[in-house]
Amino acid sequence: MSWQDKLSDSVKSVAPSGIRKFFDIAAQMKDVISLGVGEPDFVTPWPIRESCVYGLERGYTSYTANRGTLELRQEIANHYAEQYDLHYDVNTEILVTVGVSEALDLALRAVVNPGEEVLIPEPCYVSYQAGTILANGIPVSVPAKIENEFRITPEELEPFVTPKTKAILIGYPNNPTGAIMERDDLIKIAEFAEAHDLVVISDEIYGDLTYGTIHECFAAMPKMKDRTILLNGFSKAYAMTGWRIGYALGNPDFIAAMTKIHQYTILCAPITAQIAAVEALRRGEKYMKKMVSDYDRRRRLIHDGLKTLGLKTFEPRGAFYIFPDISSTGLTSEQFAEKLIVEEHVALVPGSAFGKSGAGHVRCSYATSVDKISEALNRIEHFLKNHKA
Ligand code: PLP
């Protein structure tokens, strides 16, 4: 008997993530090199782990305040004040969440009414569309162009604005393209948001992972602090994916609304992860910088390698992804990813998993060792010889 008709329409309308399928194929094979996962290959730096061990030893095993421990909120506030000259009130403008994943879900549910539209530049992280649908909103994809290094402009957004447009959801440095946005780009988006009175949800989880450019925070753009729900976390920069810890910053109305949902659904982020996150902000920077310089080496290796193989590839400036154009092979991004794993045992993700405008591309994560990247490039070279269009 099927129970499909008992499921909610919003859940039914969300497609399963296009990423997992390739992990499942990879899991059944030996000697697979994975450029698929969007996760640091580093273990969380020891001092961060140690702080959690001590916390447990001292018996910190309870709930915390819904908004997160004051200590962590204070560290987050200090960090934004020092790094971006942005000043958030620890009592009303900061919410500690279970990863950026939860913060994103809360932001969408707090802001979007049924049927309201959210502008989402694509290609983008897989949860943006699904999260909007689950919040009963309508995701409106706005294709970004490779010729413009996947930066989005007001001219590209403008035709998609309707009376139902409520928010714009941006993520940079970008997953899957590695694109960044610079100050001039952001100022234009800020003016656009102001002109159309839109809420801006800005996912800056890769903000610390930039190469040769300093990340610009959207909330620091003129008049944007109150209009922006800024999302960030510890998963990527501090290699803390399994700790499940992130946060949202925004005006007291947004944060109170998000806290309302959070307190009934999650209650609080785990205390152990909050203790570790305090340590990450206090003493984690040098470890983070070392990981960033390792990613940078790998980034240059894979970028040069893919270019030498003749694939059109723009140079990523942030995150740990590269997004080559594979259309010259005559294969779709799905076919390319599927054949590559079956024939050469290299896992990557088809660009189409990140929206229609990702078609013709594949996402390779370079959060893996130099040796593995070199071997993956050898295998891709062999694959390309066998698949000349
Ligand atoms: N946002 C982006 C752009 C991501 O790539 C990811 C994870 O891959 C997340 C959010 C989720 O991060 P978290 O581990 O903090 O939930």
Side-chain angles (χ1 to χ4, degrees):
M1 178 181 169
S2 168
W3 293 87
Q4 284 291 323
D5 64 339
K6 300 287 184 220
L7 301 178
S8 76
D9 293 339
S10 59
V11 169
K12 277 195 280 188
S13 66
V14 171
S17 162
I19 296 186
R20 285 252 68 98
K21 176 176 158 191
F22 291 88
F23 296 163
D24 295 342
I25 302 178
Q28 293 158 14
M29 287 176 170
K30 283 195 182 133
D31 79 343
V32 169
I33 297 182
S34 179
L35 306 179
V37 277
E39 174 163 18
D41 60 328
F42 299 106
V43 172
T44 308
W46 170 243
I48 300 176
R49 284 184 278 150
E50 190 182 37
S51 69
C52 168
V53 173
Y54 283 140
L56 285 172
E57 197 182 34
R58 290 200 303 269
Y60 289 119
T61 57
S62 62
Y63 291 132
T64 71
N66 294 135
R67 286 169 190 260
T69 63
L70 183 57
E71 213 178 3
L72 178 54
R73 281 180 279 138
Q74 190 62 63
E75 285 304 327
I76 294 167
N78 295 347
H79 176 71
Y80 273 82
E82 276 161 33
Q83 195 144 328
Y84 300 106
D85 196 20
L86 274 169
H87 301 271
Y88 287 98
D89 183 273
V90 288
N91 293 314
T92 58
E93 296 185 314
I94 302 177
L95 173 63
V96 176
T97 57
V98 178
V100 169
S101 303
E102 192 216 347
L104 176 65
D105 179 51
L106 296 179
L108 288 165
R109 285 205 276 159
V111 160
V112 179
N113 284 307
E116 286 181 336
E117 296 170 359
V118 179
L119 297 178
I120 306 180
E122 268 188 11
C124 68
Y125 179 48
V126 289
S127 295
Y128 295 172
Q129 310 277 352
T132 305
I133 295 170
L134 293 172
N136 294 312
I138 300 174
V140 176
S141 304
V142 182
K145 298 191 187 77
I146 189 169
E147 305 83 66
N148 194 22
E149 296 197 337
F150 292 110
R151 293 154 196 264
I152 199 79
T153 64
E155 294 71 32
E156 287 162 334
L157 291 163
E158 201 71 56
F160 295 91
V161 177
T162 75
K164 289 194 168 162
T165 311
K166 183 67 167 287
I168 169 166
L169 169 46
I170 52 178
Y172 69 96
N174 181 269
N175 173 8
T177 63
I180 57 160
M181 298 275 280
E182 280 174 303
R183 191 174 171 80
D184 289 350
D185 307 311
L186 295 174
I187 287 178
K188 289 184 198 144
I189 302 296
E191 287 164 357
F192 167 84
E194 172 103 6
H196 293 286
D197 193 18
L198 304 180
V199 176
V200 181
I201 303 173
S202 188
D203 175 356
E204 302 185 22
I205 192 168
Y206 295 101
D208 285 316
L209 307 186
T210 55
Y211 313 103
T213 344
I214 293 175
H215 177 73
E216 298 274 355
C217 183
F218 192 81
M221 297 304 118
K223 296 200 259 177
M224 285 301 115
K225 180 170 171 260
D226 271 354
R227 189 176 284 285
T228 305
I229 305 178
L230 175 57
L231 313 180
N232 202 347
F234 297 84
S235 289
K236 314 290 174 168
Y238 296 97
M240 290 177 70
T241 48
W243 298 79
R244 312 307 305 124
I245 184 94
Y247 52 90
L249 308 176
N251 77 55
D253 288 339
F254 289 156
I255 294 299
M258 290 167 68
T259 305
K260 216 194 290 182
I261 309 171
H262 171 83
Q263 80 186 11
Y264 288 124
T265 52
I266 301 290
L267 223 156
C268 66
I271 188 168
T272 42
Q274 295 192 53
I275 292 170
V278 167
E279 185 67 18
L281 288 175
R282 284 192 187 151
R283 277 174 283 273
E285 192 177 350
K286 72 172 183 203
Y287 303 96
M288 186 253 285
K289 291 242 156 90
K290 165 79 179 66
M291 291 188 269
V292 172
S293 89
D294 284 352
Y295 293 137
D296 193 15
R297 237 177 95 217
R298 300 159 179 197
R299 177 185 75 99
R300 281 181 273 127
L301 173 70
I302 197 164
H303 177 241
D304 292 348
L306 291 171
K307 268 179 67 178
T308 309
L309 298 183
L311 293 178
K312 197 166 119 194
T313 310
F314 97 95
E315 184 180 345
R317 311 254 306 269
F320 38 56
Y321 308 106
I322 190 162
F323 204 58
D325 180 337
I326 51 83
S327 55
S328 59
T329 60
L331 300 172
T332 65
S333 65
E334 281 265 340
Q335 289 166 334
F336 187 99
E338 211 155 336
K339 283 181 190 293
L340 185 68
I341 192 160
V342 171
E343 293 172 21
E344 304 289 343
H345 296 194
V346 175
L348 37 69
V349 183
S352 54
F354 306 97
K356 279 198 193 107
S357 53
H361 294 257
V362 290
R363 186 192 79 173
C364 313
S365 160
Y366 50 86
T368 191
S369 70
V370 162
D371 288 350
K372 285 189 181 157
I373 292 172
S374 303
E375 176 55 20
L377 286 167
N378 291 337
R379 295 185 190 185
I380 294 172
E381 181 174 20
H382 187 251
F383 181 80
L384 291 175
K385 280 190 185 135
N386 291 337
H387 292 278
K388 282 201 182 116

